[in-house]
Amino acid sequence: IIKINQNEDKIPENIDQLLIIHPKSLSEKMLYQIDQFVLKGNGAVFFVDPFSEFEKVNSLSSQNDNNIPKSDLNKLFVNWGFEIEPGMVVGDIINGRKVSLGSQNNEKIVTYILWLALQGDLLSKDDIVTSNLDYVFFKSAGSIKFNRSINKVEFTPLVTSSKSSMLVERFKIQFSADPEKLLEQFESENKSFILGARINGVFESAFSNDDVKKLGYNNKEHLLTGNNSNIIVFSDTDLLDDITWLSKQDLLGRSNLIPTADNGRIVMNALESMSG
């Protein structure tokens, strides 16, 4: 595993595939390097997030409009045939996790529609990444929207919500989430939303020849299209956080981490799938 600085202007030649997690404020040169890496047919797995609960809890900075705990690569994704719907998170009343609210003497159990426990048919049985998984847990995930007018790209959903779902505007949870209020305001859109997908086919570059010239790269090496691009995208990063899918148990004086969901396996499956 080699860590690449986000301000580097070249991805090393010996990199076989990219794992990109919660990309923020990437330089134009790094965005271009990712674009060209994918267009060459190299594998890449992306974890992006319209609202990172992990960052919100662990960030020392204030949560103003300019510092929302989000990541976004739609500058690239739109040209590749899809996007993560900006500023929206997926709520699912059927698969929302039960949470306890209030004091011990006045405890309420409420469905938190943004914490999604997903299993069964919501995990694709036709793709090697998800076919052997039992259950995954996402938090405040986004919606991956496919551009159906682009017929040279194949879009395969891997993880979806139930049809009893809706999109929730991020500002409703940006400063403080109220599970009861979200539940009261829930109105099903009668459609499932895609939280993880495999996308392959003919991708178009997000950079024109003029863009490349301004960045100082050689136009002759620039790929405008990639005929055999193949990536996997997840619209959540909180699924990677230990607290989301691991339970700590003390046994005979030793501390053990016990998986409570298949989040670790979905990451490893994606990486192994990309590497063949």
Side-chain angles (χ1 to χ4, degrees):
I1 297 173
I2 298 172
K3 186 170 183 178
I4 300 174
N5 187 300
Q6 67 180 31
N7 294 316
E8 288 183 32
D9 58 5
K10 192 166 179 61
I11 294 173
E13 294 290 335
N14 63 333
I15 299 293
D16 296 314
Q17 65 168 309
L18 290 177
L19 172 61
I20 299 177
I21 299 171
H22 203 39
K24 303 190 67 174
S25 305
L26 297 186
S27 68
E28 284 292 299
K29 286 191 172 183
M30 180 50 68
L31 287 171
Y32 177 67
Q33 288 296 320
I34 295 169
D35 176 90
Q36 292 295 287
F37 185 91
V38 168
L39 262 61
K40 288 174 185 173
N42 297 310
V45 179
F46 297 87
F47 290 87
V48 294
D49 205 330
F51 188 80
S52 165
E53 296 189 20
F54 176 87
E55 184 187 345
K56 185 178 190 302
V57 170
N58 291 278
S59 175
L60 298 176
S61 56
S62 61
Q63 302 299 330
N64 56 42
D65 286 343
N66 296 321
N67 199 34
I68 299 164
K70 67 181 178 71
S71 50
D72 178 0
L73 282 182
N74 279 344
K75 176 180 171 64
L76 302 181
F77 291 166
V78 167
N79 285 273
W80 299 348
F82 68 99
E83 69 173 334
I84 311 292
E85 297 201 50
M88 308 296 277
V89 292
V90 177
D92 184 334
I93 201 166
I94 291 179
N95 296 289
R97 189 78 172 264
K98 302 292 183 186
V99 296
S100 58
L101 304 176
S103 63
Q104 193 171 359
N105 298 326
N106 188 29
E107 190 178 41
K108 287 183 183 177
I109 305 297
V110 175
T111 298
Y112 188 33
I113 62 170
L114 304 183
W115 283 8
L116 307 183
L118 304 163
Q119 55 190 328
D121 293 340
L122 304 180
L123 305 175
S124 171
K125 300 306 174 189
D126 299 323
D127 193 288
I128 196 168
V129 172
T130 46
S131 61
N132 68 342
L133 303 183
D134 297 318
Y135 156 73
V136 294
F137 186 21
F138 285 42
K139 291 181 175 179
S140 305
S143 165
I144 306 173
K145 186 178 179 182
F146 178 49
N147 183 349
R148 300 191 182 279
S149 66
I150 300 178
N151 56 18
K152 293 182 179 179
V153 174
E154 186 176 348
F155 188 83
T156 307
L158 300 178
V159 183
T160 58
S161 69
S162 77
K163 285 196 172 182
S164 297
S165 298
M166 70 176 292
L167 291 180
V168 177
E169 292 147 316
R170 182 178 56 215
F171 75 82
K172 292 184 178 179
I173 60 169
Q174 192 167 318
F175 300 104
S176 179
D178 184 340
E180 278 190 290
K181 193 171 183 180
L182 288 169
L183 189 60
E184 287 170 9
Q185 295 175 345
F186 180 85
E187 290 184 24
S188 173
E189 295 183 38
N190 197 29
K191 62 182 283 189
S192 60
F193 295 93
I194 299 166
L195 315 176
R198 182 190 294 277
I199 304 107
N200 51 39
V202 178
F203 286 13
E204 292 190 7
S205 174
F207 294 82
S208 68
N209 282 323
D210 286 342
D211 295 331
V212 176
K213 191 175 180 180
K214 288 175 185 175
L215 290 174
Y217 291 112
N218 188 344
N219 262 338
K220 291 180 181 177
E221 297 176 1
H222 174 54
L223 293 176
L224 284 170
T225 59
N227 294 325
N228 192 30
S229 299
N230 180 27
I231 63 172
I232 292 172
V233 179
F234 296 99
S235 58
D236 182 39
T237 57
D238 294 301
L239 72 94
L240 304 168
D241 185 13
D242 285 359
I243 199 171
T244 306
W245 67 284
L246 292 170
S247 173
K248 194 172 182 180
Q249 297 182 1
D250 293 320
L251 183 65
L252 301 175
R254 294 182 63 181
S255 183
N256 295 299
L257 291 172
I258 311 297
T260 56
D262 288 329
N263 293 22
R265 289 170 66 193
I266 201 172
V267 178
M268 294 308 299
N269 286 357
L271 290 173
E272 290 186 3
S273 169
M274 283 290 109
S275 66

